């Protein structure tokens, strides 16, 4: 088993470059299956989830090639396989294969995602969208099958602005006949990035980034060359790390607009944050006030930043109320933070964090990706040594987190242990 070991108490100093966004690259990889020719993706981050996406794409009959620093995806003329439980279970975003495969081939068989550490995460909105586009959907033995003689555009209202449902439906609608309108669509930057990629392939999408997306179906799409946006959650994680551990860090390759809610909260907490052209400088003293946060769909405070921000609030002056409105069970990191000396009370979707003077290193478990990041941050600011297990969760979504923190002077390493 691999562990991440952190010796706390060292301020961070230097410059760190953010990688391409996990949540943008995964849908873009799957969207490339919609085209009839090869796509070339630049700067693809080195993530476990990207490897799973490659496996899935190959499983479906496409060919994936890494060459000249880029990832080439050669879509098949006919899809051969299905999206099996084994892959969908390991990465929920695998479900985003449904839209592209259904739209191109008229039928798809995909495993249901099943339970997930951060809540039940249903897929009803995805299915509602496909069925309104004219797919006949059946379910058996844990698999979903959808068939259509040809998708037809329609008006689809999402009960919640789900990122995945918006993306899945938008991808399928590109090849549907006529106009599709997605109402109450997700406005996340990753949705906009996916729309830009699809439009570069020849799709006709307008309004991505607003609550109403209009997609005029086209007959076919061609592969293209693309480079996805920087990872706003990775950027936010480094900002919070610098605020917590203290020191001075410049985070490069950031679209400042995408991290606005995080910057606003850091400033409210009294942390000095300066925005550059596409970089952000944080000067942390390790001292900050407690602030309340409520997670919301974009442009609200991102749920993926809730665990790292909670880690920060454990050491704030005062009491912070953290309300999670996006996922119903996203407080798995609370018990682990408590093992390090944090004082947190959870009631339903709210966590009350009473700031303490110090955290102390302990052995803790990364229960999911962002919970893992939260524990690394807590370890950086804690006294003594923190050992984080189940670090494969962190590898799903952070490219070289340990190495990047080392370059900022953190005493952190990855070791084999039990
Ligand atoms: C994506 C991100 C994830 C992020 C989340 C919210 C990717 C690969 N993952 O996940 O990192 O935390 O957005 O910003 O991009 N819901 C339904 N029915 C559905 C679909 C969703 O009720 O059919 C609910 C979910 O249970 C959840 C909420 O909608 O409570 C938000 O989920 P959604 O926006 O779909 O998140 P994902 O796309 O899975």
């Amino acid at each position: 088993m691999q562990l991440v070991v952190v010796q706390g108490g060292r301020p961070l100093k230097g410059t760190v470059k953010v990688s391409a966004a996990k949540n943008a690259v995964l849908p873009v990889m799957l969207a490339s299956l919609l085209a009839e020719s090869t796509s070339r993706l630049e700067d693809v981050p080195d993530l476990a989830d990207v490897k799973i996406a490659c496996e899935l794409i190959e499983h479906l009959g496409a060919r994936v090639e890494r060459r000249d620093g880029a990832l080439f995806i050669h879509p098949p003329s006919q899809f051969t396989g299905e999206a099996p439980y084994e892959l969908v279970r390991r990465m929920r975003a695998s479900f985003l294969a449904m839209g592209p495969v259904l739209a191109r081939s008229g039928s798809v068989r995909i495993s249901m995602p099943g339970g997930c550490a951060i809540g039940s995460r249903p897929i009803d909105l995805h299915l509602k969208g496909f069925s309104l586009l004219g797919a006949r959907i059946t379910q058996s033995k844990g698999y979903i099958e959808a068939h259509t003689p040809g998708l037809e555009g329609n008006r689809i209202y999402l009960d919640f602005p789900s990122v995945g449902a918006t993306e899945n439906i938008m991808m399928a609608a590109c090849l549907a006949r006529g106009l599709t309108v997605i109402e109450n669509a997700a406005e996340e930057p990753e949705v906009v990035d996916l729309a830009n990629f699809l439009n570069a392939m020849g799709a006709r999408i307008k309004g991505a980034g607003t609550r109403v997306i209009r997609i005029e179906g086209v007959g076919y799409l061609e592969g293209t060359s693309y480079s996805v946006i920087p990872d706003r959650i990775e950027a936010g994680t480094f900002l919070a790390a610098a605020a917590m551990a203290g020191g001075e860090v410049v985070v490069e390759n950031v679209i400042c607009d995408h991290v606005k809610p995080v910057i606003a909260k850091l400033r409210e907490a009294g942390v000095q944050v300066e925005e550059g052209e596409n970089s952000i400088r944080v000067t942390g003293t390790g001292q900050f006030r407690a602030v309340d946060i409520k997670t919301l769909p974009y442009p609200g405070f991102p749920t993926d930043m809730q665990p790292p921000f909670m880690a920060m609030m454990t050491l704030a002056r005062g009491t912070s109320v953290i309300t999670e409105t996006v996922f119903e069970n996203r407080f798995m990191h609370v018990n682990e933070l408590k093992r390090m000396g944090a004082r947190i009370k959870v009631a339903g979707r709210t966590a009350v964090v009473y700031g303490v003077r110090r955290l102390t290193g302990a052995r803790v478990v990364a229960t999911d990706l962002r919970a893992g990041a939260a524990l690394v941050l807590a370890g950086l600011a804690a006294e003594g040594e923190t050992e984080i297990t189940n670090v494969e969760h962190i590898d799903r979504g952070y490219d070289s987190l340990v190495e990047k923190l080392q370059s900022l002077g953190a005493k952190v390493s990855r070791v084999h242990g039990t």
Side-chain angles (χ1 to χ4, degrees):
M1 180 169 62
Q2 295 232 324
L3 310 175
V4 168
V5 179
V6 191
Q7 300 284 347
R10 290 166 74 101
L12 303 180
K13 189 159 181 55
T15 299
V16 65
K17 185 168 174 230
V18 170
S19 300
K22 166 179 97 70
N23 288 353
V25 82
L26 299 174
V28 160
M29 287 174 72
L30 293 164
S32 64
L33 296 175
L34 280 163
E36 291 180 13
S37 51
T38 302
S39 284
R40 172 189 176 122
L41 307 179
E42 307 285 347
D43 301 322
V44 173
D46 185 13
L47 303 173
D49 272 10
V50 166
K51 295 196 179 83
I52 298 176
C54 288
E55 262 183 72
L56 174 64
I57 286 170
E58 286 177 332
H59 206 87
L60 292 166
R63 204 157 56 75
V64 180
E65 198 189 347
R66 269 192 189 268
R67 172 162 50 86
D68 311 328
L71 190 76
F72 292 81
I73 298 176
H74 310 278
S77 48
Q78 273 197 321
F79 290 96
T80 47
E82 57 183 29
Y85 177 64
E86 178 47 23
L87 292 175
V88 184
R89 183 185 60 80
R90 276 161 61 205
M91 184 183 74
R92 204 190 127 82
S94 302
F95 203 72
L96 294 175
M98 184 163 178
V101 178
L102 176 65
R104 259 199 82 204
S105 68
S107 74
V108 61
R109 186 164 191 270
I110 184 162
S111 166
M112 290 174 73
C116 168
I118 60 173
S120 62
R121 300 182 85 173
I123 43 162
D124 55 320
L125 299 174
H126 301 239
L127 301 184
K128 168 179 160 176
F130 295 134
S131 117
L132 283 168
L133 292 177
R136 201 168 48 77
I137 296 172
T138 51
Q139 243 180 60
S140 81
K141 298 183 184 160
Y143 276 76
I144 292 185
E145 281 188 30
H147 299 277
T148 177
L151 297 174
E152 301 270 355
N154 204 343
R155 186 171 281 270
I156 298 160
Y157 172 82
L158 298 181
D159 304 77
F160 183 90
S162 151
V163 174
T166 303
E167 293 174 339
N168 226 344
I169 296 165
M170 185 167 78
M171 290 190 279
C174 288
L175 295 180
R177 247 189 318 270
L179 178 72
T180 298
V181 181
I182 309 177
E183 293 172 331
N184 201 27
E187 295 173 286
E188 267 68 2
E190 293 76 16
V191 172
V192 180
D193 206 39
L194 174 63
N196 289 340
F197 174 68
L198 292 165
N199 283 341
M201 291 203 297
R204 294 174 62 192
I205 304 171
K206 286 195 176 138
T210 74
R211 275 291 141 98
V212 182
I213 303 180
R214 291 169 177 275
I215 307 128
E216 188 72 58
V218 296
Y220 66 95
L221 297 174
E222 292 284 7
T224 189
S225 241
Y226 202 72
S227 196
V228 305
I229 52 171
D231 197 309
R232 62 194 167 100
I233 307 301
E234 187 192 352
T237 304
F238 284 117
L239 298 180
M244 261 182 105
E248 192 174 327
V249 171
V250 176
V251 183
E252 281 184 341
N253 193 31
V254 196
I255 299 173
C256 294
D257 236 24
H258 293 173
V259 267
K260 276 246 145 51
V262 177
I263 294 176
K265 283 293 160 183
L266 288 173
R267 288 193 175 134
E268 205 178 310
V271 178
Q272 196 187 322
V273 184
E274 291 160 66
E275 290 173 58
E277 182 86 341
N278 51 11
S279 67
I280 303 177
R281 177 188 301 270
V282 194
T283 313
T285 55
Q287 304 279 317
F288 40 86
R289 290 187 287 277
V291 293
D292 296 342
I293 61 162
K294 184 176 192 175
T295 64
L296 286 169
Y298 190 84
F301 191 91
T303 173
D304 288 349
M305 275 303 297
Q306 179 263 108
F309 210 82
M310 186 187 292
M312 181 178 158
M313 286 301 109
T314 63
L315 286 171
R317 232 176 310 113
T319 302
S320 157
V321 178
I322 296 182
T323 312
E324 174 58 66
T325 76
V326 179
F327 291 112
E328 83 270 23
N329 185 22
R330 200 170 198 176
F331 285 142
M332 311 278 281
H333 42 290
V334 166
N335 281 337
E336 303 305 307
L337 290 170
K338 279 182 169 173
R339 290 172 52 75
M340 299 177 70
R343 279 187 62 213
I344 307 170
K345 275 195 182 141
V346 174
R349 290 187 166 210
T350 301
V352 181
V353 184
Y354 304 92
V356 292
R357 279 180 189 279
R358 59 188 197 121
L359 296 177
T360 43
R363 187 177 169 103
V364 286
V365 184
T367 49
D368 63 66
L369 165 59
R370 307 299 171 187
L375 296 172
V376 173
L377 264 52
L380 291 173
E383 287 175 12
E385 186 172 284
T386 299
E387 278 184 5
I388 302 155
T389 66
N390 289 27
V391 293
E392 63 280 1
H393 285 299
I394 300 175
D395 299 334
R396 284 188 40 219
Y398 288 91
D399 185 345
S400 317
L401 181 64
V402 166
E403 293 76 6
K404 287 183 183 182
L405 287 170
Q406 282 169 346
S407 78
L408 295 174
K411 220 166 165 214
V412 49
S413 54
R414 183 185 279 270
V415 297
H416 285 284
T418 49

